[in-house]
Amino acid sequence: MKQVDIDTKMKFLHGLSNKSRVQILESLKEDEKTVSQIVQDINGNQSNISQHLSCLKGCGLVVSRQEGKYVYYRVRNQLVRDLLTMIDVVLEDVENDVACCDRNVE
């Protein structure tokens, strides 16, 4: 397997380091959606969601397509969906430790 540059890895992980971005990814995990649908799903505001979608696209986690006046967003591929699922699996094992950790608080 190719060795990934640590700075590139950190930029990628940055896409997962924000509550709103994780909520967006979870919203898109199964279906593509418009910004308005995502806003409704996670009870956010459109400007904020759009900014986070831009970050997620920049990190390669989300892609979009235009259809008429609507832009549809989706998780990039099955590997990203698998990653989101794997995070849940790992958290099942370490959830109590993570919940008690006071070093990584926003």
Side-chain angles (χ1 to χ4, degrees):
M1 186 162 76
K2 177 183 160 190
Q3 182 68 26
V4 177
D5 174 71
I6 195 74
D7 291 330
T8 303
K9 190 178 287 189
M10 293 311 302
K11 285 180 181 181
F12 174 79
L13 291 171
H14 177 74
L16 299 171
S17 69
N18 177 277
K19 181 179 179 178
S20 293
R21 288 193 291 273
V22 173
Q23 288 176 307
I24 291 167
L25 288 169
E26 289 293 331
S27 174
L28 296 174
K29 194 172 176 181
E30 301 301 326
D31 297 312
E32 69 177 7
K33 296 180 179 172
T34 64
V35 172
S36 297
Q37 291 170 315
I38 298 167
V39 166
Q40 189 173 29
D41 273 0
I42 69 172
N43 199 27
N45 74 52
Q46 188 159 345
S47 174
N48 189 286
I49 299 301
S50 293
Q51 289 177 4
H52 286 299
L53 281 166
S54 178
C55 176
L56 291 168
K57 280 184 72 174
C59 290
L61 295 167
V62 169
V63 294
S64 65
R65 69 175 180 87
Q66 180 107 25
E67 187 175 303
K69 67 178 185 172
Y70 296 102
V71 177
Y72 290 87
Y73 295 89
R74 65 178 170 81
V75 171
R76 181 184 194 104
N77 55 30
Q78 186 60 45
L79 287 172
V80 176
R81 282 190 285 285
D82 291 347
L83 174 63
L84 295 171
T85 299
M86 184 54 69
I87 290 169
D88 291 340
V89 170
V90 170
L91 277 173
E92 286 177 16
D93 185 46
V94 298
E95 183 174 10
N96 290 333
D97 296 323
V98 172
C100 293
C101 180
D102 59 359
R103 294 178 185 228
N104 295 319
V105 179
E106 268 190 59

